[in-house]
Amino acid sequence: MEKIIDENKQGEALILKAKKGNERKLFIESYGCQMNFSDSEIVASILTKEGFNTTNLLEEADLVLVNTCSIRDKAEQTIRKRLEKYNAVKKINPSMKVGVLGCMAERLKSKFLDEEKIVDLVVGPDAYKDLPNLIKEVDEGRDAVNVILSKDETYGDISPVRLGGYGVTAFVSITRGCDNMCTFCVVPFTRGRERSRDPQSILKEVNELHEKGYKEVTLLGQNVDSYLWYGGGLKKDFKNASDIQKATSVNFAQLLSMVAEEQPKMRLRFSTSNPQDMTEDVLHAMAKYPNICNYIHLPVQSGSSRILDLMNRQHTREEYMQLIDRIWEIIPDCAISQDIITGFPTETEEDHQDTMSLMDYVKYSFGFMFVYSERPGTLAARKIEDDIPMEVKKRRLTEIVDLQQKHSAYRTKEFLGKTVEVLIEKESKKSDQHWSGRTQQNTVAVFPKEHYKPGDFVLVKINDCTSATLIGEAEGISENN
Ligand code: SAH
Ligand code: F3S
């Protein structure tokens, strides 16, 4: 889910309205995936009750929290650099305390306290409810660590405070953890076993967002298609499949339908889908409810069946292509985006060409592409030598990025001359005379402001485009408002 975080730039302090009487100042920033941003909203909610208000001035903070990402080595290096910066500020403000949250906290645990002297607090993704106790420890001069992973924590009972999204769009987490064990991925180790959140608490959160004027929610999970609620806890606690059936279970397609029906005027998105777990029921729900956006982020990682097998992706190139065909049979105008890794161990030129030809087949609307980064403790790190030289990984990355740009431009041009519904999110970065919003397909569209305002669904005639942005003119308000 490490993507499309345009509403809160990586590492920008997250700010919310000050609560009267709260005197301590919290500086909280997030790196990495959407789930981290969503988790920071939960953390801010917990700490507001503990007497903290947020600040965007590092220098005046009593407590600095950084929500970290371990997905690639580079992500961890970025955090280390941030810690150096905090260290410099601590010299001016010695009473400032520093806490590390998220995946790096979980991966490095108390080792963090030895490696980074500046850190006072280390808290893993399932331990945020313990923050009030941990902060007390730190106040009394002791280092504090809680990296216990849970089998049932979903934070379903905490109402996150909203730190981003301009009051128009919001994330709602529906699962935590991942059981898929892709061989390259650190997430199952840092975020633990997969758990699904009670559908009633999800509906309650969506309804609250609606009351506050939000117009779009994105249901979040590492692997949303495996969402399954049957009373809580891990799936393995049920002895067999029929036990799960017997319980009044809710799967992802059912959850999507419930949310879509509950708030028919709100747009609904979800991320991330895993090809092996996506069922046709989900596609039918998307086709049935007009408020479920016709857009699927469907990471493929590689177009070579041999590499997919080494990655433990549980599907072949052909099965992925069949799924793409079904998506377009059921939802003809569905946009699809990808994640791809180049230079996975043993990847040959032929495997790389397979990835490029698969891209040509799908012509993805967007993509998030990375060079393979070996992560300590993963199966790939333990079993397969990281044998592709960096210059080869990078050259292959450049080739797929260039190809994706061509495909993105092709997909963007498909909108020319059409009228599409755009949900206004904010002022365009390039012009204060224009609004910026997104189509159902998640393409950014800009158009002259006229009398419209953020949160309006507007019908926009597309006259022009760049490779990633649609440019148009409003034709009127959509009946969806
Ligand atoms: N299922 C998750 C995936 C999280 S990681 C989700 O919700 O999106 C996001 C992407 O990072 C993956 O799809 C993969 O393309 C990339 N990635 C993960 N581990 C990686 C690694 N070790 N090296 C390079 N890229 C990696
Ligand atoms: Fe990672 Fe694969 Fe899960 S990419 S988050 S192990 S679906």
Side-chain angles (χ1 to χ4, degrees):
M1 290 176 299
E2 194 171 2
K3 50 208 56 117
I4 329 171
I5 303 179
D6 55 352
E7 51 272 68
N8 329 75
K9 272 193 265 131
Q10 297 265 322
E12 201 168 86
L14 303 166
I15 293 291
L16 69 144
K17 229 168 91 195
K19 192 175 159 201
K20 263 206 183 131
N22 280 6
E23 287 185 352
R24 300 178 84 183
K25 293 204 169 72
L26 166 69
F27 179 95
I28 181 166
E29 58 181 356
S30 289
Y31 291 82
C33 65
Q34 292 164 333
M35 188 68 91
N36 264 4
F37 283 80
S38 173
D39 281 358
S40 291
E41 297 183 330
I42 288 167
V43 169
S45 168
I46 292 169
L47 292 187
T48 302
K49 296 193 184 83
E50 295 297 312
F52 284 92
N53 277 330
T54 49
T55 172
N56 58 0
L57 288 177
L58 185 54
E59 289 71 13
E60 66 168 29
D62 299 300
L63 175 65
V64 174
L65 294 178
V66 58
N67 206 340
T68 61
C69 173
S70 283
I71 201 82
R72 285 168 290 276
D73 185 54
K74 216 171 131 197
E76 292 201 349
Q77 295 314 325
T78 308
I79 308 289
R80 301 259 188 204
K81 285 234 172 67
R82 265 325 261 168
L83 292 175
E84 280 171 27
K85 168 80 183 164
Y86 302 161
N87 212 359
V89 175
K90 202 169 180 169
K91 293 208 172 91
I92 310 163
N93 176 8
S95 66
M96 179 179 106
K97 303 291 179 201
V98 174
V100 177
L101 314 178
C103 288
M104 238 176 130
E106 192 61 48
R107 197 176 84 69
L108 294 164
K109 306 192 168 58
S110 53
K111 266 202 292 184
F112 230 121
L113 298 171
D114 306 329
E115 285 177 26
E116 301 283 353
K117 299 287 177 226
I118 184 181
V119 173
D120 305 289
L121 184 69
V122 180
V123 193
D126 285 346
Y128 298 145
K129 279 190 191 156
D130 196 26
L131 268 166
N133 298 323
L134 297 167
I135 289 170
K136 262 189 216 112
E137 290 278 313
V138 170
D139 286 343
E140 287 163 16
R142 291 183 292 275
D143 288 338
V145 178
N146 185 347
V147 288
I148 296 169
L149 288 172
S150 155
K151 65 175 198 172
D152 46 24
E153 182 59 84
T154 60
Y155 300 113
D157 53 340
I158 294 189
S159 250
V161 294
R162 301 294 162 181
L163 299 165
Y166 303 94
V168 177
T169 64
F171 298 129
V172 172
S173 67
I174 63 163
T175 68
R176 296 186 74 80
C178 185
D179 284 350
N180 272 3
M181 298 303 271
C182 300
T183 57
F184 53 82
C185 184
V186 77
V187 169
F189 303 94
T190 59
R191 289 193 163 265
R193 300 295 305 273
E194 192 177 282
R195 291 138 274 166
S196 296
R197 177 176 165 192
D198 181 348
Q200 291 311 322
S201 79
I202 297 171
L203 287 179
K204 185 168 165 262
E205 190 174 329
V206 172
N207 287 338
E208 282 166 7
L209 286 165
H210 177 254
E211 273 161 31
K212 288 184 189 143
Y214 282 80
K215 299 294 172 69
E216 179 182 298
V217 291
T218 302
L219 304 181
L220 281 187
Q222 301 298 335
N223 185 13
V224 285
D225 299 277
S226 66
Y227 175 88
L228 184 62
W229 172 258
Y230 44 90
L234 299 179
K235 279 181 219 160
K236 76 171 172 53
D237 292 345
F238 281 74
K239 278 183 244 46
N240 54 49
S242 67
D243 283 351
I244 296 177
Q245 291 293 313
K246 265 185 249 152
T248 43
S249 62
V250 176
N251 66 22
F252 183 57
Q254 290 163 328
L255 177 75
L256 260 185
S257 307
M258 284 162 73
V259 179
E261 273 174 31
E262 182 85 7
Q263 290 298 344
K265 296 268 182 196
M266 275 176 106
R267 267 190 186 175
L268 188 52
R269 299 184 187 277
F270 53 89
S271 189
T272 298
S273 294
N274 195 302
Q276 77 198 51
D277 297 310
M278 181 154 221
T279 63
E280 284 203 8
D281 289 356
V282 171
L283 303 178
H284 290 299
M286 291 175 75
K288 180 172 171 193
Y289 295 101
N291 56 330
I292 306 179
C293 290
N294 290 346
Y295 166 58
I296 304 174
H297 181 57
L298 199 64
V300 65
Q301 318 297 358
S302 168
S304 152
S305 293
R306 188 184 70 82
I307 295 289
L308 287 170
D309 184 39
L310 285 176
M311 290 175 160
N312 190 29
R313 290 292 287 184
Q314 311 284 322
H315 63 81
T316 61
R317 166 192 176 89
E318 289 72 29
E319 285 162 344
Y320 185 89
M321 287 158 110
Q322 280 160 16
L323 177 58
I324 297 284
D325 293 345
R326 281 304 280 156
I327 292 173
W328 283 331
E329 274 161 38
I330 298 169
I331 315 157
D333 64 343
C334 192
I336 300 172
S337 60
Q338 47 87 347
D339 287 350
I340 290 175
I341 296 175
T342 63
F344 187 79
T346 79
E347 186 188 68
T348 61
E349 267 329 291
E350 199 184 332
D351 294 321
H352 172 58
Q353 290 304 325
D354 282 348
T355 299
M356 308 256 283
S357 68
L358 180 78
M359 290 173 76
D360 278 329
Y361 184 80
V362 184
K363 295 194 176 60
Y364 293 99
S365 299
F366 321 94
F368 305 90
M369 295 147 281
F370 317 97
V371 295
Y372 173 68
S373 167
E374 188 178 81
R375 306 313 292 133
T378 57
L379 202 74
R382 284 184 280 135
K383 295 271 153 86
I384 330 175
E385 191 196 340
D386 183 9
D387 61 349
I388 309 297
M390 187 48 98
E391 67 267 22
V392 175
K393 286 178 178 170
K394 283 199 171 154
R395 193 251 306 146
R396 289 179 187 163
L397 179 69
T398 306
E399 286 174 17
I400 62 164
V401 167
D402 289 350
L403 186 58
Q404 181 53 54
Q405 258 175 5
K406 247 174 63 187
H407 293 154
S408 295
Y410 168 85
R411 290 296 179 195
T412 314
K413 278 201 193 103
E414 284 186 325
F415 285 100
L416 284 179
K418 291 189 180 151
T419 296
V420 290
E421 186 192 72
V422 176
L423 170 59
I424 303 178
E425 288 171 25
K426 57 185 178 202
E427 193 167 85
S428 158
K429 273 186 217 130
K430 297 224 174 97
S431 149
D432 62 5
Q433 302 299 306
H434 287 72
W435 289 126
S436 168
R438 278 175 297 150
T439 66
Q440 277 233 349
Q441 284 80 0
N442 213 29
T443 310
V444 173
V446 296
F447 59 95
K449 283 183 172 173
E450 298 178 55
H451 57 283
Y452 301 104
K453 58 184 189 309
D456 283 349
F457 290 98
V458 179
L459 295 173
V460 177
K461 171 93 187 283
I462 304 303
N463 306 316
D464 198 0
C465 63
T466 66
S467 68
T469 307
L470 303 171
I471 302 160
E473 254 174 277
E475 285 190 331
I477 201 97
S478 160
E479 61 182 29
N480 194 23
N481 281 282

